[in-house]
Amino acid sequence: MTTDETHDRIAEAFARVPREPFLPVAERQNASDNVPLPIGHRQTNSQPSTVADMLRLLDPQLGDTVLDLGSGSGWTSMLLAVLVGPTGRVLGVERHPELVESSRAAIEAVTADSAGRETLAEVVLHEAVTGALGLPAEAPFDRILVSAGAESLPDQLVDQLTVGATMVIPVAGEMLRVVRDGPGSDELTVTRHGWYRFVPLVVGE
């Protein structure tokens, strides 16, 4: 798929999935601002341009199974549901149970209002398991999107990638695109794509 086609697909996903329902009521008036917005529990709904950058790097394809780690408000999970289509799956993980509950409600409401419900992937949101990172029981994944900053590249997440899969993750403030080239945990191609600020990634997310 060409870069232009990827940009077009992401623009379509943004057009189909409004940001407002995934924000607290007091923040919905700010939904069009290109800034991160608070959603409670010291978490944010990420800046739209950052989300778009990450999705372009991730380049999810129709039919992919995607892990959305640090799913927060559920907005990125819903964007991914558009991008991977009805033959794909999106599994979100969030460590704050209140955000899991509110994001499930937002996804249900947006899906119910969508004229193209049959074109969306199923989205399943999980509360993080204590002591685990990601969803090892559901692995492997074709794509992993991490919306929290790690101090170093987590082996636990690399192990959840299938061969040929891609992960996008901020590490030490720098956005990395990680492609697993082979079965070994060190068989990776890592490219770097600029500096971003995120809440910290913690085990149990």
mmCIF file of all heavy atoms in Angstrom, residues 23-73:
data_model
loop_
_atom_site.group_PDB
_atom_site.id
_atom_site.type_symbol
_atom_site.label_atom_id
_atom_site.label_comp_id
_atom_site.label_asym_id
_atom_site.label_seq_id
_atom_site.Cartn_x
_atom_site.Cartn_y
_atom_site.Cartn_z
ATOM 1 N N LEU A 23 -14.452 11.697 25.175
ATOM 2 C CA LEU A 23 -13.932 12.674 26.123
ATOM 3 C C LEU A 23 -14.925 12.899 27.258
ATOM 4 O O LEU A 23 -16.136 12.748 27.068
ATOM 5 C CB LEU A 23 -13.695 14.014 25.416
ATOM 6 C CG LEU A 23 -12.652 14.030 24.305
ATOM 7 C CD1 LEU A 23 -12.697 15.366 23.571
ATOM 8 C CD2 LEU A 23 -11.255 13.771 24.874
ATOM 9 N N PRO A 24 -14.448 13.298 28.440
ATOM 10 C CA PRO A 24 -15.370 13.740 29.490
ATOM 11 C C PRO A 24 -16.213 14.911 28.975
ATOM 12 O O PRO A 24 -15.745 15.697 28.139
ATOM 13 C CB PRO A 24 -14.434 14.181 30.619
ATOM 14 C CG PRO A 24 -13.132 13.486 30.354
ATOM 15 C CD PRO A 24 -13.035 13.370 28.863
ATOM 16 N N VAL A 25 -17.415 15.041 29.483
ATOM 17 C CA VAL A 25 -18.334 16.081 28.990
ATOM 18 C C VAL A 25 -17.679 17.461 29.028
ATOM 19 O O VAL A 25 -17.820 18.257 28.081
ATOM 20 C CB VAL A 25 -19.637 16.063 29.820
ATOM 21 C CG1 VAL A 25 -20.509 17.256 29.461
ATOM 22 C CG2 VAL A 25 -20.392 14.757 29.593
ATOM 23 N N ALA A 26 -16.940 17.757 30.075
ATOM 24 C CA ALA A 26 -16.337 19.084 30.221
ATOM 25 C C ALA A 26 -15.262 19.360 29.173
ATOM 26 O O ALA A 26 -14.916 20.527 28.936
ATOM 27 C CB ALA A 26 -15.729 19.232 31.615
ATOM 28 N N GLU A 27 -14.731 18.312 28.535
ATOM 29 C CA GLU A 27 -13.660 18.494 27.559
ATOM 30 C C GLU A 27 -14.161 18.439 26.113
ATOM 31 O O GLU A 27 -13.396 18.691 25.178
ATOM 32 C CB GLU A 27 -12.581 17.417 27.757
ATOM 33 C CG GLU A 27 -11.800 17.529 29.051
ATOM 34 C CD GLU A 27 -10.951 18.781 29.113
ATOM 35 O OE1 GLU A 27 -10.625 19.344 28.049
ATOM 36 O OE2 GLU A 27 -10.625 19.213 30.244
ATOM 37 N N ARG A 28 -15.426 18.114 25.908
ATOM 38 C CA ARG A 28 -15.896 17.899 24.531
ATOM 39 C C ARG A 28 -15.855 19.163 23.683
ATOM 40 O O ARG A 28 -15.671 19.087 22.466
ATOM 41 C CB ARG A 28 -17.304 17.295 24.561
ATOM 42 C CG ARG A 28 -17.269 15.864 25.090
ATOM 43 C CD ARG A 28 -18.634 15.210 25.136
ATOM 44 N NE ARG A 28 -18.517 13.876 25.719
ATOM 45 C CZ ARG A 28 -19.538 13.082 25.965
ATOM 46 N NH1 ARG A 28 -20.777 13.470 25.671
ATOM 47 N NH2 ARG A 28 -19.341 11.879 26.491
ATOM 48 N N GLN A 29 -15.964 20.319 24.324
ATOM 49 C CA GLN A 29 -15.878 21.574 23.571
ATOM 50 C C GLN A 29 -14.485 21.790 22.985
ATOM 51 O O GLN A 29 -14.301 22.615 22.075
ATOM 52 C CB GLN A 29 -16.225 22.743 24.491
ATOM 53 C CG GLN A 29 -15.266 22.907 25.662
ATOM 54 C CD GLN A 29 -15.669 24.001 26.612
ATOM 55 O OE1 GLN A 29 -16.489 24.854 26.271
ATOM 56 N NE2 GLN A 29 -15.125 23.985 27.828
ATOM 57 N N ASN A 30 -13.501 21.043 23.501
ATOM 58 C CA ASN A 30 -12.114 21.181 23.047
ATOM 59 C C ASN A 30 -11.708 20.083 22.071
ATOM 60 O O ASN A 30 -10.533 19.973 21.713
ATOM 61 C CB ASN A 30 -11.169 21.154 24.254
ATOM 62 C CG ASN A 30 -11.506 22.218 25.273
ATOM 63 O OD1 ASN A 30 -11.783 23.358 24.903
ATOM 64 N ND2 ASN A 30 -11.496 21.848 26.552
ATOM 65 N N ALA A 31 -12.660 19.274 21.621
ATOM 66 C CA ALA A 31 -12.336 18.082 20.831
ATOM 67 C C ALA A 31 -11.594 18.403 19.542
ATOM 68 O O ALA A 31 -10.776 17.605 19.072
ATOM 69 C CB ALA A 31 -13.609 17.305 20.522
ATOM 70 N N SER A 32 -11.860 19.569 18.958
ATOM 71 C CA SER A 32 -11.212 19.907 17.687
ATOM 72 C C SER A 32 -9.813 20.478 17.871
ATOM 73 O O SER A 32 -9.092 20.696 16.884
ATOM 74 C CB SER A 32 -12.069 20.903 16.907
ATOM 75 O OG SER A 32 -12.221 22.111 17.634
ATOM 76 N N ASP A 33 -9.403 20.721 19.107
ATOM 77 C CA ASP A 33 -8.065 21.271 19.361
ATOM 78 C C ASP A 33 -7.012 20.172 19.203
ATOM 79 O O ASP A 33 -7.189 19.055 19.700
ATOM 80 C CB ASP A 33 -7.979 21.847 20.772
ATOM 81 C CG ASP A 33 -8.899 23.042 20.973
ATOM 82 O OD1 ASP A 33 -9.384 23.590 19.957
ATOM 83 O OD2 ASP A 33 -9.148 23.410 22.133
ATOM 84 N N ASN A 34 -5.913 20.505 18.557
ATOM 85 C CA ASN A 34 -4.848 19.528 18.342
ATOM 86 C C ASN A 34 -3.913 19.494 19.556
ATOM 87 O O ASN A 34 -2.732 19.848 19.489
ATOM 88 C CB ASN A 34 -4.073 19.862 17.065
ATOM 89 C CG ASN A 34 -3.076 18.766 16.719
ATOM 90 O OD1 ASN A 34 -3.314 17.589 16.971
ATOM 91 N ND2 ASN A 34 -1.953 19.159 16.154
ATOM 92 N N VAL A 35 -4.486 19.067 20.674
ATOM 93 C CA VAL A 35 -3.753 18.975 21.939
ATOM 94 C C VAL A 35 -4.234 17.718 22.671
ATOM 95 O O VAL A 35 -5.353 17.254 22.449
ATOM 96 C CB VAL A 35 -3.983 20.206 22.842
ATOM 97 C CG1 VAL A 35 -3.419 21.468 22.197
ATOM 98 C CG2 VAL A 35 -5.464 20.378 23.150
ATOM 99 N N PRO A 36 -3.403 17.159 23.558
ATOM 100 C CA PRO A 36 -3.899 16.078 24.410
ATOM 101 C C PRO A 36 -4.900 16.633 25.406
ATOM 102 O O PRO A 36 -4.754 17.765 25.880
ATOM 103 C CB PRO A 36 -2.638 15.559 25.112
ATOM 104 C CG PRO A 36 -1.655 16.673 25.025
ATOM 105 C CD PRO A 36 -1.982 17.455 23.795
ATOM 106 N N LEU A 37 -5.922 15.838 25.731
ATOM 107 C CA LEU A 37 -6.965 16.289 26.652
ATOM 108 C C LEU A 37 -7.112 15.300 27.799
ATOM 109 O O LEU A 37 -7.053 14.082 27.584
ATOM 110 C CB LEU A 37 -8.296 16.420 25.903
ATOM 111 C CG LEU A 37 -8.340 17.510 24.825
ATOM 112 C CD1 LEU A 37 -9.633 17.421 24.035
ATOM 113 C CD2 LEU A 37 -8.169 18.902 25.435
ATOM 114 N N PRO A 38 -7.304 15.792 29.023
ATOM 115 C CA PRO A 38 -7.402 14.902 30.181
ATOM 116 C C PRO A 38 -8.685 14.076 30.155
ATOM 117 O O PRO A 38 -9.755 14.566 29.800
ATOM 118 C CB PRO A 38 -7.391 15.867 31.371
ATOM 119 C CG PRO A 38 -7.895 17.160 30.821
ATOM 120 C CD PRO A 38 -7.424 17.228 29.405
ATOM 121 N N ILE A 39 -8.557 12.807 30.555
ATOM 122 C CA ILE A 39 -9.726 11.921 30.644
ATOM 123 C C ILE A 39 -9.865 11.329 32.044
ATOM 124 O O ILE A 39 -10.664 10.422 32.259
ATOM 125 C CB ILE A 39 -9.655 10.793 29.595
ATOM 126 C CG1 ILE A 39 -8.354 9.986 29.732
ATOM 127 C CG2 ILE A 39 -9.797 11.361 28.184
ATOM 128 C CD1 ILE A 39 -8.288 8.758 28.822
ATOM 129 N N GLY A 40 -9.099 11.853 32.985
ATOM 130 C CA GLY A 40 -9.145 11.357 34.358
ATOM 131 C C GLY A 40 -8.045 10.361 34.634
ATOM 132 O O GLY A 40 -7.431 9.796 33.720
ATOM 133 N N HIS A 41 -7.750 10.155 35.937
ATOM 134 C CA HIS A 41 -6.760 9.178 36.379
ATOM 135 C C HIS A 41 -5.364 9.490 35.840
ATOM 136 O O HIS A 41 -4.576 8.585 35.576
ATOM 137 C CB HIS A 41 -7.186 7.750 35.987
ATOM 138 C CG HIS A 41 -8.568 7.409 36.457
ATOM 139 N ND1 HIS A 41 -8.837 7.042 37.757
ATOM 140 C CD2 HIS A 41 -9.760 7.437 35.804
ATOM 141 C CE1 HIS A 41 -10.147 6.833 37.884
ATOM 142 N NE2 HIS A 41 -10.723 7.077 36.718
ATOM 143 N N ARG A 42 -5.096 10.787 35.623
ATOM 144 C CA ARG A 42 -3.807 11.252 35.100
ATOM 145 C C ARG A 42 -3.508 10.693 33.715
ATOM 146 O O ARG A 42 -2.341 10.559 33.320
ATOM 147 C CB ARG A 42 -2.676 10.926 36.079
ATOM 148 C CG ARG A 42 -2.832 11.594 37.444
ATOM 149 C CD ARG A 42 -1.647 11.339 38.343
ATOM 150 N NE ARG A 42 -1.796 12.016 39.624
ATOM 151 C CZ ARG A 42 -0.913 11.945 40.615
ATOM 152 N NH1 ARG A 42 0.198 11.239 40.461
ATOM 153 N NH2 ARG A 42 -1.129 12.587 41.752
ATOM 154 N N GLN A 43 -4.551 10.374 32.961
ATOM 155 C CA GLN A 43 -4.415 9.867 31.599
ATOM 156 C C GLN A 43 -4.963 10.919 30.637
ATOM 157 O O GLN A 43 -5.714 11.818 31.026
ATOM 158 C CB GLN A 43 -5.176 8.554 31.425
ATOM 159 C CG GLN A 43 -4.804 7.487 32.436
ATOM 160 C CD GLN A 43 -3.337 7.103 32.371
ATOM 161 O OE1 GLN A 43 -2.837 6.677 31.335
ATOM 162 N NE2 GLN A 43 -2.637 7.261 33.496
ATOM 163 N N THR A 44 -4.577 10.793 29.366
ATOM 164 C CA THR A 44 -5.037 11.743 28.368
ATOM 165 C C THR A 44 -5.552 11.027 27.124
ATOM 166 O O THR A 44 -5.187 9.884 26.843
ATOM 167 C CB THR A 44 -3.901 12.699 27.935
ATOM 168 O OG1 THR A 44 -2.852 11.937 27.326
ATOM 169 C CG2 THR A 44 -3.371 13.488 29.109
ATOM 170 N N ASN A 45 -6.415 11.738 26.422
ATOM 171 C CA ASN A 45 -6.758 11.394 25.051
ATOM 172 C C ASN A 45 -5.703 12.097 24.200
ATOM 173 O O ASN A 45 -5.593 13.321 24.225
ATOM 174 C CB ASN A 45 -8.172 11.904 24.735
ATOM 175 C CG ASN A 45 -8.596 11.677 23.305
ATOM 176 O OD1 ASN A 45 -8.074 12.308 22.395
ATOM 177 N ND2 ASN A 45 -9.582 10.825 23.112
ATOM 178 N N SER A 46 -4.922 11.324 23.457
ATOM 179 C CA SER A 46 -3.721 11.864 22.825
ATOM 180 C C SER A 46 -4.037 12.918 21.766
ATOM 181 O O SER A 46 -5.116 12.940 21.172
ATOM 182 C CB SER A 46 -2.910 10.732 22.176
ATOM 183 O OG SER A 46 -2.418 9.850 23.144
ATOM 184 N N GLN A 47 -3.059 13.760 21.528
ATOM 185 C CA GLN A 47 -3.146 14.792 20.498
ATOM 186 C C GLN A 47 -3.455 14.140 19.149
ATOM 187 O O GLN A 47 -2.791 13.186 18.741
ATOM 188 C CB GLN A 47 -1.806 15.519 20.446
ATOM 189 C CG GLN A 47 -1.725 16.685 19.518
ATOM 190 C CD GLN A 47 -0.425 17.452 19.721
ATOM 191 O OE1 GLN A 47 0.191 17.371 20.781
ATOM 192 N NE2 GLN A 47 -0.016 18.189 18.706
ATOM 193 N N PRO A 48 -4.468 14.607 18.429
ATOM 194 C CA PRO A 48 -4.850 13.952 17.175
ATOM 195 C C PRO A 48 -3.716 13.807 16.169
ATOM 196 O O PRO A 48 -3.608 12.761 15.504
ATOM 197 C CB PRO A 48 -5.969 14.855 16.642
ATOM 198 C CG PRO A 48 -6.606 15.406 17.883
ATOM 199 C CD PRO A 48 -5.455 15.642 18.819
ATOM 200 N N SER A 49 -2.856 14.807 16.038
ATOM 201 C CA SER A 49 -1.755 14.678 15.081
ATOM 202 C C SER A 49 -0.789 13.568 15.492
ATOM 203 O O SER A 49 -0.217 12.880 14.632
ATOM 204 C CB SER A 49 -1.013 16.008 14.929
ATOM 205 O OG SER A 49 -0.444 16.419 16.163
ATOM 206 N N THR A 50 -0.602 13.374 16.789
ATOM 207 C CA THR A 50 0.252 12.286 17.269
ATOM 208 C C THR A 50 -0.381 10.936 16.959
ATOM 209 O O THR A 50 0.296 10.000 16.510
ATOM 210 C CB THR A 50 0.501 12.425 18.783
ATOM 211 O OG1 THR A 50 1.183 13.652 19.029
ATOM 212 C CG2 THR A 50 1.322 11.265 19.316
ATOM 213 N N VAL A 51 -1.685 10.823 17.201
ATOM 214 C CA VAL A 51 -2.389 9.579 16.880
ATOM 215 C C VAL A 51 -2.259 9.266 15.389
ATOM 216 O O VAL A 51 -1.976 8.130 14.988
ATOM 217 C CB VAL A 51 -3.871 9.668 17.292
ATOM 218 C CG1 VAL A 51 -4.630 8.422 16.842
ATOM 219 C CG2 VAL A 51 -3.993 9.850 18.797
ATOM 220 N N ALA A 52 -2.435 10.280 14.551
ATOM 221 C CA ALA A 52 -2.311 10.078 13.105
ATOM 222 C C ALA A 52 -0.901 9.635 12.735
ATOM 223 O O ALA A 52 -0.718 8.729 11.907
ATOM 224 C CB ALA A 52 -2.692 11.354 12.361
ATOM 225 N N ASP A 53 0.112 10.249 13.332
ATOM 226 C CA ASP A 53 1.500 9.847 13.068
ATOM 227 C C ASP A 53 1.714 8.375 13.424
ATOM 228 O O ASP A 53 2.338 7.618 12.668
ATOM 229 C CB ASP A 53 2.466 10.696 13.894
ATOM 230 C CG ASP A 53 2.566 12.138 13.417
ATOM 231 O OD1 ASP A 53 2.104 12.428 12.289
ATOM 232 O OD2 ASP A 53 3.104 12.969 14.177
ATOM 233 N N MET A 54 1.203 7.970 14.584
ATOM 234 C CA MET A 54 1.405 6.600 15.042
ATOM 235 C C MET A 54 0.674 5.607 14.146
ATOM 236 O O MET A 54 1.207 4.530 13.825
ATOM 237 C CB MET A 54 0.947 6.471 16.494
ATOM 238 C CG MET A 54 1.793 7.274 17.466
ATOM 239 S SD MET A 54 1.207 7.186 19.174
ATOM 240 C CE MET A 54 1.793 5.544 19.630
ATOM 241 N N LEU A 55 -0.522 5.957 13.725
ATOM 242 C CA LEU A 55 -1.280 5.051 12.854
ATOM 243 C C LEU A 55 -0.609 4.913 11.494
ATOM 244 O O LEU A 55 -0.613 3.824 10.897
ATOM 245 C CB LEU A 55 -2.719 5.545 12.705
ATOM 246 C CG LEU A 55 -3.582 5.438 13.962
ATOM 247 C CD1 LEU A 55 -4.949 6.071 13.707
ATOM 248 C CD2 LEU A 55 -3.740 3.986 14.413
ATOM 249 N N ARG A 56 -0.025 6.001 10.984
ATOM 250 C CA ARG A 56 0.701 5.894 9.709
ATOM 251 C C ARG A 56 1.892 4.958 9.848
ATOM 252 O O ARG A 56 2.173 4.145 8.958
ATOM 253 C CB ARG A 56 1.150 7.278 9.242
ATOM 254 C CG ARG A 56 0.035 8.079 8.586
ATOM 255 C CD ARG A 56 0.573 9.313 7.892
ATOM 256 N NE ARG A 56 0.962 10.347 8.836
ATOM 257 C CZ ARG A 56 0.162 11.310 9.269
ATOM 258 N NH1 ARG A 56 -1.083 11.376 8.843
ATOM 259 N NH2 ARG A 56 0.590 12.226 10.119
ATOM 260 N N LEU A 57 2.614 5.060 10.958
ATOM 261 C CA LEU A 57 3.758 4.171 11.184
ATOM 262 C C LEU A 57 3.307 2.719 11.363
ATOM 263 O O LEU A 57 3.958 1.785 10.889
ATOM 264 C CB LEU A 57 4.543 4.625 12.414
ATOM 265 C CG LEU A 57 5.305 5.945 12.288
ATOM 266 C CD1 LEU A 57 5.855 6.356 13.651
ATOM 267 C CD2 LEU A 57 6.426 5.820 11.268
ATOM 268 N N LEU A 58 2.189 2.527 12.054
ATOM 269 C CA LEU A 58 1.676 1.186 12.307
ATOM 270 C C LEU A 58 1.159 0.545 11.021
ATOM 271 O O LEU A 58 1.310 -0.660 10.820
ATOM 272 C CB LEU A 58 0.559 1.254 13.346
ATOM 273 C CG LEU A 58 0.096 -0.070 13.937
ATOM 274 C CD1 LEU A 58 1.181 -0.671 14.823
ATOM 275 C CD2 LEU A 58 -1.193 0.130 14.740
ATOM 276 N N ASP A 59 0.515 1.335 10.168
ATOM 277 C CA ASP A 59 -0.025 0.897 8.880
ATOM 278 C C ASP A 59 -0.878 -0.366 9.013
ATOM 279 O O ASP A 59 -0.616 -1.386 8.361
ATOM 280 C CB ASP A 59 1.117 0.659 7.882
ATOM 281 C CG ASP A 59 0.623 0.537 6.447
ATOM 282 O OD1 ASP A 59 -0.497 0.996 6.155
ATOM 283 O OD2 ASP A 59 1.351 -0.052 5.626
ATOM 284 N N PRO A 60 -1.918 -0.345 9.852
ATOM 285 C CA PRO A 60 -2.764 -1.538 10.010
ATOM 286 C C PRO A 60 -3.503 -1.863 8.719
ATOM 287 O O PRO A 60 -3.944 -0.965 7.998
ATOM 288 C CB PRO A 60 -3.744 -1.134 11.121
ATOM 289 C CG PRO A 60 -3.737 0.359 11.119
ATOM 290 C CD PRO A 60 -2.392 0.784 10.668
ATOM 291 N N GLN A 61 -3.627 -3.165 8.443
ATOM 292 C CA GLN A 61 -4.242 -3.640 7.209
ATOM 293 C C GLN A 61 -5.559 -4.352 7.510
ATOM 294 O O GLN A 61 -5.783 -4.845 8.630
ATOM 295 C CB GLN A 61 -3.296 -4.605 6.491
ATOM 296 C CG GLN A 61 -1.958 -3.982 6.131
ATOM 297 C CD GLN A 61 -2.090 -2.847 5.136
ATOM 298 O OE1 GLN A 61 -2.692 -3.004 4.079
ATOM 299 N NE2 GLN A 61 -1.542 -1.681 5.488
ATOM 300 N N LEU A 62 -6.403 -4.429 6.500
ATOM 301 C CA LEU A 62 -7.665 -5.149 6.652
ATOM 302 C C LEU A 62 -7.392 -6.574 7.106
ATOM 303 O O LEU A 62 -6.520 -7.262 6.555
ATOM 304 C CB LEU A 62 -8.425 -5.154 5.327
ATOM 305 C CG LEU A 62 -8.929 -3.789 4.838
ATOM 306 C CD1 LEU A 62 -9.515 -3.923 3.438
ATOM 307 C CD2 LEU A 62 -9.965 -3.211 5.797
ATOM 308 N N GLY A 63 -8.118 -7.010 8.122
ATOM 309 C CA GLY A 63 -7.975 -8.371 8.630
ATOM 310 C C GLY A 63 -6.956 -8.543 9.734
ATOM 311 O O GLY A 63 -6.852 -9.626 10.313
ATOM 312 N N ASP A 64 -6.195 -7.488 10.064
ATOM 313 C CA ASP A 64 -5.189 -7.590 11.130
ATOM 314 C C ASP A 64 -5.847 -7.769 12.500
ATOM 315 O O ASP A 64 -6.938 -7.257 12.761
ATOM 316 C CB ASP A 64 -4.328 -6.327 11.186
ATOM 317 C CG ASP A 64 -3.218 -6.310 10.156
ATOM 318 O OD1 ASP A 64 -2.991 -7.345 9.502
ATOM 319 O OD2 ASP A 64 -2.571 -5.245 10.008
ATOM 320 N N THR A 65 -5.117 -8.460 13.366
ATOM 321 C CA THR A 65 -5.444 -8.490 14.789
ATOM 322 C C THR A 65 -4.495 -7.533 15.495
ATOM 323 O O THR A 65 -3.274 -7.682 15.390
ATOM 324 C CB THR A 65 -5.290 -9.903 15.366
ATOM 325 O OG1 THR A 65 -6.215 -10.780 14.708
ATOM 326 C CG2 THR A 65 -5.573 -9.926 16.863
ATOM 327 N N VAL A 66 -5.067 -6.542 16.183
ATOM 328 C CA VAL A 66 -4.273 -5.438 16.735
ATOM 329 C C VAL A 66 -4.450 -5.370 18.244
ATOM 330 O O VAL A 66 -5.567 -5.448 18.760
ATOM 331 C CB VAL A 66 -4.698 -4.094 16.117
ATOM 332 C CG1 VAL A 66 -3.816 -2.965 16.636
ATOM 333 C CG2 VAL A 66 -4.652 -4.153 14.598
ATOM 334 N N LEU A 67 -3.336 -5.184 18.941
ATOM 335 C CA LEU A 67 -3.353 -4.882 20.368
ATOM 336 C C LEU A 67 -3.182 -3.387 20.539
ATOM 337 O O LEU A 67 -2.202 -2.798 20.049
ATOM 338 C CB LEU A 67 -2.212 -5.624 21.075
ATOM 339 C CG LEU A 67 -2.019 -5.295 22.561
ATOM 340 C CD1 LEU A 67 -3.226 -5.730 23.378
ATOM 341 C CD2 LEU A 67 -0.748 -5.951 23.100
ATOM 342 N N ASP A 68 -4.140 -2.755 21.207
ATOM 343 C CA ASP A 68 -4.091 -1.319 21.509
ATOM 344 C C ASP A 68 -3.780 -1.187 22.998
ATOM 345 O O ASP A 68 -4.679 -1.259 23.842
ATOM 346 C CB ASP A 68 -5.430 -0.670 21.149
ATOM 347 C CG ASP A 68 -5.426 0.840 21.332
ATOM 348 O OD1 ASP A 68 -4.331 1.423 21.424
ATOM 349 O OD2 ASP A 68 -6.518 1.432 21.381
ATOM 350 N N LEU A 69 -2.511 -0.991 23.305
ATOM 351 C CA LEU A 69 -2.050 -1.020 24.692
ATOM 352 C C LEU A 69 -2.052 0.389 25.275
ATOM 353 O O LEU A 69 -1.423 1.298 24.733
ATOM 354 C CB LEU A 69 -0.641 -1.617 24.758
ATOM 355 C CG LEU A 69 -0.032 -1.790 26.148
ATOM 356 C CD1 LEU A 69 -0.915 -2.645 27.037
ATOM 357 C CD2 LEU A 69 1.364 -2.395 26.037
ATOM 358 N N GLY A 70 -2.775 0.545 26.386
ATOM 359 C CA GLY A 70 -3.009 1.870 26.941
ATOM 360 C C GLY A 70 -4.147 2.517 26.175
ATOM 361 O O GLY A 70 -4.061 3.655 25.713
ATOM 362 N N SER A 71 -5.246 1.776 26.048
ATOM 363 C CA SER A 71 -6.349 2.200 25.177
ATOM 364 C C SER A 71 -7.084 3.421 25.703
ATOM 365 O O SER A 71 -7.788 4.097 24.950
ATOM 366 C CB SER A 71 -7.336 1.051 24.955
ATOM 367 O OG SER A 71 -7.796 0.519 26.180
ATOM 368 N N GLY A 72 -6.943 3.732 27.004
ATOM 369 C CA GLY A 72 -7.440 4.990 27.545
ATOM 370 C C GLY A 72 -8.914 5.227 27.299
ATOM 371 O O GLY A 72 -9.778 4.492 27.777
ATOM 372 N N SER A 73 -9.221 6.245 26.506
ATOM 373 C CA SER A 73 -10.602 6.630 26.246
ATOM 374 C C SER A 73 -11.311 5.697 25.275
ATOM 375 O O SER A 73 -12.535 5.748 25.147
ATOM 376 C CB SER A 73 -10.633 8.048 25.674
ATOM 377 O OG SER A 73 -10.081 8.061 24.363
#
